[in-house]
């Protein structure tokens, strides 16, 4: 049933399972990323410290959560252009913290992508859960990006048809 996969049900599962990091893949794009933002906010409403890392190409979480797109974020951190503390911002509508997409060149940032695992590990020391929104990346690429770790992969498909769901689950 649909309720099994609602934002509230996923939030309860992540909290009850004490998941430290959740890699979210949104095959349908920004509508999935929007649902992931709603998930982060739901977890925070339940009293957990949450940080979201915007690894999307569209910067959807950054647009939804920040007052400006011109904030230092994950690309700047991966390029070594800012300190960790300069990249953590407050969500404008909740207690969630966000590391936005950033303003540095994405291709330059990809060269430092191997540091992402260390960044996530550091964040898990300060937050109850780290949510990494990867946008429409395939699951294998997202897992490769963040390294092998304990955690969860969340498929964010707000209104899937059977074909989309089967394809996403197979991936």
């Amino acid at each position: 049933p649909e309720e099994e996969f609602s934002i509230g049900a996923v939030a309860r599962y992540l909290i009850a399972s004490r998941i430290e990091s959740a890699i979210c893949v949104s095959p349908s794009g920004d509508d999935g990323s929007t649902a992931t933002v709603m998930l982060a906010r739901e977890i925070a409403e339940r009293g957990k410290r949450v940080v979201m890392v915007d690894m999307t190409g569209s910067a959807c979480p950054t647009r939804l959560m920040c007052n400006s797109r011109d904030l230092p974020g994950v690309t700047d951190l991966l390029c070594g252009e800012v300190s960790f503390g300069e990249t953590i911002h407050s969500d404008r509508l909740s207690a969630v913290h966000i590391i936005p997409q950033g303003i540095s060149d994405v291709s330059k940032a990809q060269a430092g992508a191997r540091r992402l695992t260390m960044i996530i590990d550091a964040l898990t020391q300060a937050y109850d859960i780290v949510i990494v929104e990867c946008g429409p990346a395939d699951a294998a690429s997202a897992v490769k990006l963040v390294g092998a770790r304990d955690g969860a992969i969340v498929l964010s498909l707000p209104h899937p048809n059977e074909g989309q769901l089967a394809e996403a689950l197979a991936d």
Side-chain angles (χ1 to χ4, degrees):
E2 199 169 300
E3 297 86 36
E4 285 182 64
F5 300 106
S6 69
I7 290 170
V10 174
R12 284 189 299 278
Y13 169 79
L14 293 173
I15 292 168
S17 301
R18 299 179 190 256
I19 300 293
E20 292 182 346
S21 62
I23 310 310
C24 298
V25 178
S26 301
S28 58
D30 285 354
D31 65 334
S33 295
T34 299
T36 301
V37 169
M38 293 167 59
L39 173 65
R41 289 173 174 164
E42 176 76 20
I43 293 169
E45 283 182 26
R46 294 170 186 256
K48 299 300 179 184
R49 293 173 315 212
V50 182
V51 64
M52 176 178 278
V53 181
D54 185 352
M55 295 293 296
T56 66
S58 69
C60 177
T62 298
R63 288 192 320 270
L64 293 173
M65 299 174 83
C66 299
N67 289 323
S68 170
R69 283 189 67 176
D70 297 327
L71 296 172
V74 69
T75 57
D76 309 285
L77 195 56
L78 292 172
C79 289
E81 296 175 356
V82 295
S83 70
F84 216 127
E86 292 174 273
T87 66
I88 300 172
H89 306 277
S90 295
D91 177 14
R92 58 190 180 86
L93 298 177
S94 75
V96 176
H97 285 157
I98 178 169
I99 298 181
Q101 184 185 52
I103 52 180
S104 291
D105 181 70
V106 173
S107 58
K108 184 179 173 188
Q110 287 175 340
R114 67 186 179 285
R115 293 176 42 210
L116 189 59
T117 301
M118 292 184 297
I119 292 166
I120 294 169
D121 287 343
L123 290 169
T124 61
Q125 301 304 308
Y127 292 90
D128 296 318
I129 186 165
V130 178
I131 297 176
V132 181
E133 172 56 35
C134 296
D138 65 270
S141 296
V143 170
K144 183 178 177 185
L145 182 66
V146 298
R149 62 176 350 92
D150 288 337
I153 295 176
V154 176
L155 291 174
S156 188
L157 282 164
H159 307 287
N161 62 44
E162 275 190 42
Q164 274 182 311
L165 187 58
E167 185 178 322
L169 289 173
D171 180 34

